[in-house]
Amino acid sequence: MKNLFRQRSGPLTRDLTLRPGNFGLGLVPDRHKPDDTVNLVCGYCSTGCSLTVHCRDGRAVNATPTVDYPVNRGLACAKGWQALAPLEAPDRATVPLVRDGRGRLSEVDWDTALTLFVNRFKDIQRRHGAGSVAFLSTGQLVTEEMAYLGALAKFGMGMVHGDGNTRQCMATAVVAYKQAFGFDAPPYTYRDLEESDVIVLIGSNLCIAHPILWQRIGRNSHQPEIVVVDPRRTETAMAATQHYAVAPKSDLVLFYGLASRLIAMGCIDRDFIEAHTESFDEFARHVERYTLDAASKATGLAVDQIQRLADTIAGGERVSLWWTMGVNQSHEGVALAQAIINLALITGNIGRPGTGANSITGQCNAMGSRLFSNTSSLMGGRDFARQDHRRQVAEVLGLDTARIPDTAGLAYDQILHAIRDRAIRGLWVIATNTAHSWIDQRNARDALDRLEFLVVQDLYPDTDTARLADLVLPAAGWAEKDGTFINSERRIGRVRKVRRAPGQALADFHIFRAVADYWGCGDLFRTWQTPEDVFQTVKELSRGMPCDMTGIRDYRMLDQLGGVQWPFPAGTSPGQDQRRLFEDGAFFHPHGRARLLVAEPIAMPEPTSESFPFLLITGRGSSSQWHTQTRTGRSGPLRALVPHHPYAEISPDDARELGIGPGQPVVVWSRRGQIQVYAFLSHIVRPGQIFIPMHYAVANQLTHPSFDPRSRQPAYKACAVNVRRLGRDEAARDPKVSSLGG
Ligand code: SF4
């Protein structure tokens, strides 16, 4: 037997060998008293609420929102209240599974699984080069695991290409911030939601996507104007004081138009612009042509409406602009995000309480991924292409600089292309569900089918992607391991092990350690015995960077302080629990100024036509569903809160014209596929629009594979489709429809 953890010497790890039963059960002992309560950051969304897990007789039995955590202050959404349920599901992955000669997944022990993992990937690399094996990871791992995976794959296993599912949700914001501010730095703290007098939400259904942040707005005592810019009359739009139902993908012109109008009205902050930005004159020249009439024509809003929005922004003392996926998941998302940033900059709405150009990110640790996953950025928010950055990372890790690639490698969509082109033949997928969530599912599945060897590491063996795998590695979930998350407001918070993973499932951290050892590069990571060891390295990687967190002594300090927002360099006083960036007007570019960046609007990649007269919008359906429902689908209460079957929102006007009644099965088709769903007649969508929640796998059978050219983020929000009522005979013949109850 191979001694997996031979370099470990502590009492917890002695005598651990690769025998089934040594993993998950007892690898990390319970450190909590039998009836303890333990606080840890929620494992779903980027809000980063703290949950208090209650243990009885040593078992985690319940989770409730933590009362005194500065993020959620005693509140949680339904997912938080049900956080433990998915972990207790009876169909967890508990042993490694290998596809056998008859195409069935069969149980094997860890030694067999890891030997196969290494032999197959090394064989592919030997035949086709180091870059022929890639990885796709996630914003769901703790930062320590992300750092381990990124370092292992790129510095240990020689991979060139690896990306995260964070490409699907916030790559656009990353690029926009880096270019405008000089670093990927969301500037706000959540208290800004309580301190604004004008809150502008762009492409954000905050009620549904970030319900606790919506609650924070509810605590705002300034009677703020709440402005929603969204083609749909979402739950958030219904509760807002102003809703601007722009034509889909016309928001870039709207924001240029608003900037133009504010400049013309003289409602800009000249002192701030002169002291803290560059290229204002070019910017003003660029937006000049976006008159009220031009903006009205593009957006479908009346001139008076746009003027009212400009007046609202001009009249606000503390204006904050917030965006989510309606901006990021666009074919011109970076330009739009920068147009929002520009508006904050020219009006001086940044660096003060209640202001900011604020991207709210998606997954619980998307922010950790942005800084430390070693995918699009080199660890610590650095640049792979810069030799000084590679040298800094090599020094911290004690590596030869030559081990660090000088390129970030391919983005997610490019990796899938490379698979179809047979340049990449082996893929390691960690905690993401490509076969469901990637845009234009047919192409994504085609790529996965072409792989010589697909490894999926997940909590469940039956995700859409795991079903295609050659090897499934059973992973522990949130609350079954230790580490840290970084939330949307840059707060580093603790995740703690409060329950044991089932069977032989292992924390991703321990899977990465095992892979390193079997691969033969374990010595590179010999100092990383525990997640906290990696945390100490992550701290060093942040030293001197804008995200400096060297003032956090250890996990204990994080526990005591209730999370800490970066920057928190050594010597920082821990007294301040809310940290906002740019209060001194100094940005991260070498000259300290922010850049006002513009671009020409690009036509929508797939506009409607006679054959496809409806525009499909996808997005979050409810606060009880999370992404591909891998976890939320395993909670009875959460399932009961949402429609089980896929549905499409259709406007009552369109439905009347097409003879579609409420709840009837309909066919929706695009140039890429055809699906059957139920009609949900609703004024949330306007005539000519259809909305399908992304949580149902069928949605991405229709979506069009277009991407922002700068961020490579998929544009999920707009493609052309058609819809018709499903004939009575068709419904009767089709078992899928019968099973839908139609
Ligand atoms: S809002 Fe997000 S972080 Fe808070 S409980 Fe819900 S899913 Fe968890």
Side-chain angles (χ1 to χ4, degrees):
M1 292 266 181
K2 188 166 184 171
N3 189 329
L4 180 60
F5 303 117
R6 59 176 173 266
Q7 290 144 2
R8 304 175 73 171
S9 56
L12 305 183
T13 57
R14 262 197 317 258
D15 304 326
L16 281 171
T17 56
L18 274 175
R19 286 191 304 274
N22 267 355
F23 305 100
L25 294 174
L27 192 62
V28 182
D30 284 347
R31 285 146 298 178
H32 313 299
K33 296 189 196 101
D35 295 321
D36 242 346
T37 56
V38 186
N39 294 342
L40 55 162
V41 175
C42 174
Y44 282 108
C45 91
S46 66
T47 303
C49 302
S50 175
L51 301 175
T52 300
V53 173
H54 305 262
C55 303
R56 188 175 303 142
D57 301 329
R59 267 194 70 232
V61 293
N62 200 3
T64 56
T66 307
V67 173
D68 55 358
Y69 197 67
V71 169
N72 51 316
R73 301 179 188 170
L75 298 169
C77 77
K79 296 189 294 293
W81 284 97
Q82 277 292 298
L84 292 175
L87 301 172
E88 286 155 6
D91 55 351
R92 290 281 302 271
T94 54
V95 286
L97 301 169
V98 173
R99 196 163 299 283
D100 63 21
R102 284 179 292 177
R104 289 184 315 207
L105 287 170
S106 306
E107 295 184 5
V108 293
D109 60 29
W110 272 104
D111 184 47
T112 305
L114 291 168
T115 303
L116 183 72
F117 178 104
V118 167
N119 288 347
R120 291 297 305 272
F121 279 158
K122 281 196 171 183
D123 176 57
I124 291 170
Q125 285 186 322
R126 184 181 49 74
R127 287 185 285 118
H128 302 288
S132 61
V133 173
F135 70 92
L136 291 173
S137 73
T138 178
Q140 300 287 150
L141 298 181
V142 292
T143 302
E144 293 77 355
E145 292 173 339
M146 287 176 179
Y148 206 133
L149 171 63
L152 166 65
K154 291 197 172 175
F155 309 153
M157 298 167 71
M159 289 190 205
V160 183
H161 311 298
D163 204 3
N165 63 5
T166 40
R167 181 74 61 180
Q168 294 164 271
C169 55
M170 27 49 53
T172 286
V174 173
V175 175
Y177 278 139
K178 275 187 182 174
Q179 293 181 345
F181 295 159
F183 195 76
D184 174 21
Y188 60 95
T189 182
Y190 290 154
R191 190 175 289 164
D192 289 321
L193 289 163
E194 296 162 9
E195 297 186 345
S196 300
D197 53 17
V198 176
I199 296 169
V200 185
L201 301 164
I202 309 119
S204 163
N205 189 1
L206 205 68
C207 284
I208 293 301
H210 300 93
I212 300 308
L213 298 189
W214 181 248
Q215 300 275 353
R216 296 284 301 251
I217 291 178
R219 295 176 193 240
N220 186 316
S221 61
H222 305 287
Q223 297 188 307
E225 282 291 333
I226 303 172
V227 177
V228 169
V229 177
D230 198 309
R232 295 170 65 226
R233 190 163 174 266
T234 60
E235 294 83 347
T236 313
M238 288 178 209
T241 57
Q242 299 179 32
H243 173 212
Y244 296 91
V246 290
K249 301 300 119 201
S250 66
D251 20 21
L252 180 59
V253 173
L254 174 67
F255 276 85
Y256 285 163
L258 287 169
S260 173
R261 193 68 201 132
L262 289 164
I263 294 169
M265 290 158 63
C267 296
I268 56 175
D269 187 337
R270 288 257 171 214
D271 291 343
F272 185 89
I273 291 168
E274 272 164 36
H276 303 298
T277 70
E278 63 176 33
S279 318
F280 175 74
D281 291 342
E282 289 93 315
F283 171 73
R285 268 198 301 279
H286 177 88
V287 298
E288 200 172 23
R289 76 188 112 126
Y290 297 96
T291 59
L292 281 177
D293 283 337
S296 168
K297 197 165 161 221
T299 59
L301 300 174
V303 164
D304 288 353
Q305 284 179 289
I306 301 171
Q307 180 62 54
R308 183 183 176 209
L309 180 50
D311 289 341
T312 302
I313 293 169
E317 281 290 315
R318 298 170 164 200
V319 181
S320 57
L321 302 130
W322 307 79
W323 79 86
T324 58
M325 298 315 144
V327 171
N328 286 349
Q329 293 177 336
S330 162
H331 68 287
E332 53 185 2
V334 172
L336 175 55
Q338 288 172 340
I340 296 167
I341 293 169
N342 294 340
L343 208 64
L345 290 169
I346 65 168
T347 55
N349 277 301
I350 199 147
R352 294 185 291 113
T355 65
N358 305 329
S359 153
I360 308 171
T361 198
Q363 299 177 75
C364 51
N365 201 23
M367 289 290 289
S369 171
R370 285 153 82 146
L371 291 175
F372 295 106
S373 68
N374 221 24
T375 52
S376 54
S377 295
L378 180 59
M379 295 169 140
R382 293 178 174 82
D383 187 347
F384 280 95
R386 284 182 52 175
Q387 210 207 346
D388 57 330
H389 282 185
R390 296 199 298 278
R391 200 171 47 239
Q392 289 163 8
V393 170
E395 266 169 30
V396 173
L397 298 186
L399 295 174
D400 183 345
T401 312
R403 278 192 173 270
I404 302 181
D406 59 6
T407 165
L410 299 176
Y412 201 136
D413 67 305
Q414 296 164 325
I415 288 174
L416 293 179
H417 267 292
I419 294 171
R420 283 198 292 276
D421 292 346
R422 312 287 287 159
I424 291 177
R425 293 167 182 247
L427 187 67
W428 183 11
V429 176
I430 302 107
T432 192
N433 195 0
T434 308
H436 173 140
S437 65
W438 192 250
I439 200 162
D440 185 12
Q441 201 178 91
R442 192 183 45 176
N443 265 332
R445 283 175 177 258
D446 176 51
L448 296 175
D449 283 344
R450 287 178 194 223
L451 286 162
E452 284 184 28
F453 194 56
L454 171 63
V455 179
V456 173
Q457 182 170 319
D458 210 306
L459 273 70
Y460 308 100
D462 66 343
T463 68
D464 298 277
T465 312
R467 284 200 209 119
L468 305 173
D470 300 295
L471 172 63
V472 177
L473 301 179
W478 167 86
E480 295 171 344
K481 56 188 179 179
D482 289 291
T484 54
F485 287 156
I486 308 177
N487 77 354
S488 272
E489 56 164 358
R490 313 178 318 283
R491 185 179 301 275
I492 302 140
R494 281 275 278 126
V495 179
R496 304 207 280 176
K497 177 173 174 166
V498 292
R499 51 169 281 137
R500 295 177 176 188
Q504 297 174 37
L506 283 177
D508 297 276
F509 180 85
H510 293 298
I511 298 176
F512 300 144
R513 293 194 70 229
V515 167
D517 200 62
Y518 272 65
W519 195 272
C521 60
D523 282 351
L524 290 177
F525 311 107
R526 64 185 173 280
T527 58
W528 288 357
Q529 304 286 318
T530 66
E532 189 155 10
D533 293 339
V534 183
F535 180 73
Q536 293 299 335
T537 306
V538 161
K539 271 172 50 187
E540 276 313 304
L541 287 164
S542 76
R543 188 180 291 278
M545 300 299 287
C547 59
D548 195 325
M549 53 181 81
T550 49
I552 304 170
R553 192 183 57 245
D554 51 21
Y555 279 174
R556 226 177 124 191
M557 185 172 178
L558 281 176
D559 291 335
Q560 284 163 351
L561 294 181
V564 172
Q565 287 170 283
W566 65 255
F568 197 86
T572 307
S573 157
Q576 191 185 358
D577 79 336
Q578 302 283 331
R579 314 173 81 76
R580 183 178 300 108
L581 299 180
F582 311 131
E583 288 182 327
D584 56 359
F587 295 88
F588 297 120
H589 285 300
H591 44 58
R593 290 168 179 270
R595 291 184 178 148
L596 296 165
L597 299 160
V598 291
E600 291 300 323
I602 306 169
M604 204 189 303
E606 193 182 56
T608 55
S609 63
E610 207 174 308
S611 307
F612 296 96
F614 293 89
L615 202 76
L616 173 68
I617 304 170
T618 67
R620 206 173 289 282
S622 79
S623 61
S624 301
Q625 290 163 298
W626 181 249
H627 292 185
T628 66
Q629 301 195 85
T630 302
R631 283 181 289 163
T632 51
R634 285 175 164 87
S635 153
L638 292 182
R639 269 203 319 274
L641 288 169
V642 299
H644 179 55
H645 299 301
Y647 65 92
E649 289 176 5
I650 301 172
S651 95
D653 293 351
D654 287 335
R656 201 174 309 114
E657 209 162 288
L658 295 166
I660 296 170
Q664 284 187 334
V666 295
V667 178
V668 184
W669 71 101
S670 73
R671 291 181 178 87
R672 292 153 295 282
Q674 172 173 306
I675 64 171
Q676 291 168 6
V677 292
Y678 281 120
F680 172 45
L681 308 193
S682 166
H683 289 291
I684 291 174
V685 285
R686 303 175 80 189
Q689 298 170 356
I690 288 178
F691 174 83
I692 299 180
M694 65 178 181
H695 316 291
Y696 304 107
V698 292
N700 279 319
Q701 290 179 26
L702 305 177
T703 45
H704 178 254
S706 49
F707 303 88
D708 180 285
R710 286 193 273 167
S711 68
R712 306 299 317 159
Q713 179 153 349
Y716 286 100
K717 300 293 184 191
C719 73
V721 297
N722 207 340
V723 60
R724 66 176 170 82
R725 182 181 167 167
L726 190 73
R728 210 177 279 276
D729 292 351
E730 284 176 286
R733 278 199 310 269
D734 191 327
K736 266 192 263 164
V737 176
S738 312
S739 73
L740 289 175

